[in-house]
């Protein structure tokens, strides 16, 4: 990616060195890796497994409602250790700040065209453990967006895993992850998130999972919309990296990698094919209106 001339976002905070802890369901995009684990336990051990997870979460201070989409409660605000330029410690952080800056510019213009005002999210760096408005942040959860405080939480060591485990090295794999979380912020600003969470409360587990899949696929599409509206950033091979990342983190692929038989009712992010399809749709159209996964 051509990031040299891109302006860095100032909406950066750091919780590094502040400690933290606890237990919170989350992960990439609101349902997250722990949501996937919950679904797998539910499918294999039934109500006994579900009760076990809920009891453990309550003992550790977690919010069981977060299993339906990143948490509906809030936690006390945390004073960041550093903000803006002071929160940036290395070249990876600087790239993240530039990618976030690009999303701010693109979505600001897209909202302006629609007669709306875009409100920038804040990205929070943390190291292993942190605290969000939705509860504890932990590296194992992966990057996630918290709708309660409009912040994206990121331990940048995830990008090492993205390169080694998921086979998607390079700046655009990083950008895809960040732009996906920004997509969840767009869903919050437009009211989509509230509607989906309300519908999830009325649905059974399989229905709630299906709605979460649609949320995640729309965020993938929004990531593509951002990229195609800032084409000057893309270099040959970038799109292929993004597609490899989307393929690697599909629910069916992850369940197979864990030695599990894919269980569609437990999916919370979509299959590899679906994730690639919706990312590609965003890239091809550049139009947020074409990302209505709820109509498909």
């Amino acid at each position: 990616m051509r990031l040299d001339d891109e302006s860095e976002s100032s909406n950066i905070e750091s919780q590094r060195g502040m400690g933290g802890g606890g237990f919170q369901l989350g992960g990439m995009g609101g349902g997250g890796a722990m949501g996937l684990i919950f679904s797998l336990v539910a499918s294999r051990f039934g109500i006994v497994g579900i009760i076990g997870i809920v009891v453990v979460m309550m003992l550790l201070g977690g919010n069981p409602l977060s299993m339906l989409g990143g948490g509906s409660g809030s936690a006390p605000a945390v004073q960041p250790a550093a903000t803006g330029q002071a929160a940036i410690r290395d070249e990876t952080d600087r790239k993240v700040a530039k990618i976030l800056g690009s999303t701010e510019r693109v979505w600001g213009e897209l909202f302006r065209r629609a007669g709306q005002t875009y409100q920038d999210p804040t990205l929070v760096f943390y190291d292993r453990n942190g605290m969000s408005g939705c509860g504890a942040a932990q590296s194992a959860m992966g990057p996630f967006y918290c709708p309660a405080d409009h912040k994206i939480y990121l331990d940048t060591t995830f990008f090492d895993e993205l390169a080694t485990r998921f086979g998607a090295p390079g700046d655009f794999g990083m950008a895809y992850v960040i732009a996906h979380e920004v997509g969840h912020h767009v869903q919050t600003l437009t009211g989509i998130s509230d509607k989906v969470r309300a519908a999830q409360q009325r649905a059974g587990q399989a229905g709630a999972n299906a709605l979460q899949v649609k949320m995640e696929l729309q965020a993938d599409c929004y990531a593509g919309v951002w990229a195609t509206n800032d084409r000057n950033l893309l270099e040959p091979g970038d799109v292929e990296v993004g597609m490899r990342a989307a393929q690697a983190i599909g629910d069916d692929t992850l369940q197979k990698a864990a030695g599990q038989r894919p269980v569609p009712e437990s999916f919370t992010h979509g299959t590899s094919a679906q994730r690639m399809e919706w990312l590609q749709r965003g890239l091809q159209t550049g139009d947020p209106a074409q990302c209505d996964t709820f109509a498909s």
Side-chain angles (χ1 to χ4, degrees), residues 18-58:
M18 296 178 62
F23 182 86
Q24 171 76 16
L25 294 185
M28 186 173 174
M34 290 306 299
L36 175 59
I37 290 173
F38 169 81
S39 299
L40 290 173
V41 171
S43 64
R44 184 166 183 177
F45 298 105
I47 189 63
V48 175
I50 296 172
I51 293 173
I53 288 181
V54 171
V55 169
V56 170
M57 287 184 67
M58 293 178 67

Side-chain angles (χ1 to χ4, degrees), residues 172-192:
F172 191 69
M174 179 191 306
Y176 163 56
V177 170
I178 296 167
H180 174 101
E181 301 308 332
V182 171
H184 286 304
H185 179 62
V186 172
Q187 291 171 328
T188 296
L189 295 180
T190 56
I192 293 172

Side-chain angles (χ1 to χ4, degrees), residues 1 21 24 27-30 32 85 110-111 125 137-138 148 164-165 172 193 211 218 238 263-266 270-271:
M1 294 185 70
Q24 171 76 16
M28 186 173 174
Q85 283 291 321
L110 290 173
F111 269 57
F125 293 119
Q138 294 183 332
T164 57
R165 178 184 172 191
F172 191 69
S193 295
L211 287 167
Q218 186 176 63
D238 282 343
V263 181
E265 293 79 9
S266 72
T271 65

Side-chain angles (χ1 to χ4, degrees), residues 3 8 15 33 46 72 89 119 127 143 174 211 227 232 252 263-264:
L3 293 171
E8 297 170 13
Q15 292 183 10
S72 58
R89 70 177 185 183
Q119 302 169 27
D127 184 10
M174 179 191 306
L211 287 167
N232 61 300
D252 53 340
V263 181

Side-chain angles (χ1 to χ4, degrees), residues 64-76:
L65 291 178
S66 62
M67 291 180 290
L68 294 180
S72 58
S74 60

